[in-house]
Amino acid sequence: MTIISLNITTSPVELSGELTRHSIMQITKQSVKKLFLPSSTTLDLAEITRIDTAGLAWLFYLVEQASIGDCELSFINIPTKLDNLIRLSGVEGFLPVKK
């Protein structure tokens, strides 16, 4: 079983573990909704150990849900593996990344 952890009680919100097609199913819709309660949320990806295309698609899903919920979502500490996947997928500039 793949483990993913979403710590909503911290600021920025910490996401750790594997962000894969198996692990994203563990994240509840309630947890995702809590992400967008404030008007601005930053998601820290420093502790992501593995990511696949489903994980990348889930991050885009979060961007879409934040927009619907009128929340400004941004990402920090993009792991090299995610950065490479973004480039290989041709979607540079689509995730709101803070440097």
Side-chain angles (χ1 to χ4, degrees):
M1 181 177 204
T2 306
I3 306 275
I4 188 76
S5 174
L6 182 63
N7 189 351
I8 297 173
T9 61
T10 61
S11 182
V13 175
E14 297 171 350
L15 185 62
S16 61
E18 295 186 2
L19 193 54
T20 65
R21 66 185 177 98
H22 300 291
S23 66
I24 58 176
M25 292 185 292
Q26 297 173 18
I27 302 172
T28 65
K29 288 184 181 182
Q30 293 296 66
S31 294
V32 171
K33 286 182 181 181
K34 288 180 185 177
L35 280 174
F36 309 125
L37 291 178
S39 62
S40 177
T41 298
T42 300
L43 194 58
D44 187 344
L45 304 177
E47 298 300 319
I48 295 297
T49 57
R50 185 171 169 232
I51 188 162
D52 64 12
T53 54
L56 177 58
W58 185 77
L59 294 177
F60 283 115
Y61 165 77
L62 291 181
V63 171
E64 177 185 34
Q65 293 304 301
S67 177
I68 291 169
D70 203 25
C71 175
E72 182 182 331
L73 178 66
S74 60
F75 300 92
I76 60 171
N77 299 320
I78 303 297
T80 302
K81 291 178 184 180
L82 174 55
D83 193 44
N84 291 339
L85 185 58
I86 289 169
R87 276 189 279 108
L88 287 171
S89 300
V91 292
E92 299 106 348
F94 290 101
L95 281 181
V97 176
K98 285 184 181 177
K99 298 287 177 174

